[in-house]
């Protein structure tokens, strides 16, 4: 469970956890490359046990960066107005994906089912995938829907 003292902004812990659990928007993950410049990558995620879980191929640039520096920023928010969402900072733990359950959950969440060629391709390389587990340390939410509704 997220610690309430680490949460700022419009929403409390329950609202943030509901948003993470119910929203199928990729997270934008910010990390620092070996050249000391920030990188922002969009990753599918599921929210479980107070962690944001993503998957990436073990040889990806994202994994190489996270192996060197596990501190990240992240944001989950729609691109279109009215603007609302959650951003934060956290630390990443990397581990072998092992079984395909999390990958299947991601595929169903973002693609609808595992019948597409993309889903089959992703599942065909499950042994080469790593689990990115983000432990949020600070969270900030914002919600401008009421303000932007004109009412």
């Amino acid at each position: 469970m997220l610690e309430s003292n680490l949460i700022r902004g419009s929403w409390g812990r329950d609202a943030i956890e509901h948003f993470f659990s119910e929203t199928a928007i990729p997270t934008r993950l910010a990390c620092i490359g070996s050249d000391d410049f920030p990188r922002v990558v969009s990753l599918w995620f599921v929210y479980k046990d107070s962690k944001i879980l993503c998957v990436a191929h073990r040889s990806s640039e994202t994994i190489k960066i996270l192996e060197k520096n596990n501190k990240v920023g992240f944001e989950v928010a729609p691109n279109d107005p009215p603007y609302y969402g959650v951003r934060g900072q956290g630390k990443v733990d990397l581990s072998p994906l092992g079984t395909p359950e999390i990958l299947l959950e991601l595929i169903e969440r973002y693609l609808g089912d595992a019948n597409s060629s993309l889903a089959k391709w992703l599942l065909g390389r499950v042994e080469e995938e790593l689990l990115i587990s983000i432990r949020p340390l600070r969270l900030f939410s914002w919600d401008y829907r009421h303000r932007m509704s004109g009412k």
Side-chain angles (χ1 to χ4, degrees):
M1 182 174 290
L2 296 171
E3 294 182 35
S4 296
N5 63 332
L6 304 175
I7 297 171
R8 301 283 183 265
S10 304
W11 301 339
R13 181 185 63 232
D14 291 343
I16 288 172
E17 289 185 334
H18 179 76
F19 177 71
F20 282 160
S21 296
E22 299 300 319
T23 303
I25 300 170
T27 184
R28 295 173 194 97
L29 186 70
C31 45
I32 302 296
S34 59
D35 59 0
D36 289 329
F37 279 93
R39 305 289 194 281
V40 178
V41 296
S42 295
L43 297 171
W44 294 349
F45 80 95
V46 293
Y47 183 73
K48 290 185 176 288
D49 302 321
S50 300
K51 294 178 183 166
I52 298 167
L53 304 177
C54 308
V55 173
H57 193 270
R58 72 175 63 244
S59 67
S60 69
E61 188 66 24
T62 300
I63 293 296
K64 292 174 187 172
I65 290 170
L66 294 174
E67 286 174 333
K68 292 178 182 171
N69 184 345
N70 73 338
K71 294 177 184 175
V72 296
F74 56 87
E75 178 181 82
V76 179
N79 291 325
D80 299 316
Y83 302 117
Y84 61 98
V86 178
R87 70 176 63 98
Q89 298 164 328
K91 290 190 176 181
V92 166
D93 294 312
L94 299 173
S95 60
L97 185 58
T99 61
E101 281 81 15
I102 294 294
L103 186 54
L104 275 167
E105 203 169 329
L106 290 168
I107 288 168
E108 289 174 6
R109 180 176 173 135
Y110 290 92
L111 297 178
D113 61 48
N115 294 322
S116 70
S117 58
L118 174 58
K120 291 174 184 173
W121 178 75
L122 290 169
L123 288 167
R125 57 186 223 162
V126 72
E127 298 84 20
E128 302 167 24
E129 302 290 328
L130 291 181
L131 179 65
I132 301 170
S133 180
I134 304 166
R135 293 175 286 118
L137 300 176
R138 294 184 197 100
L139 294 168
F140 179 81
S141 61
W142 68 97
D143 192 341
Y144 300 138
R145 289 178 286 191
H146 181 70
R147 184 187 320 177
M148 294 178 78
S149 72
K151 297 179 184 178

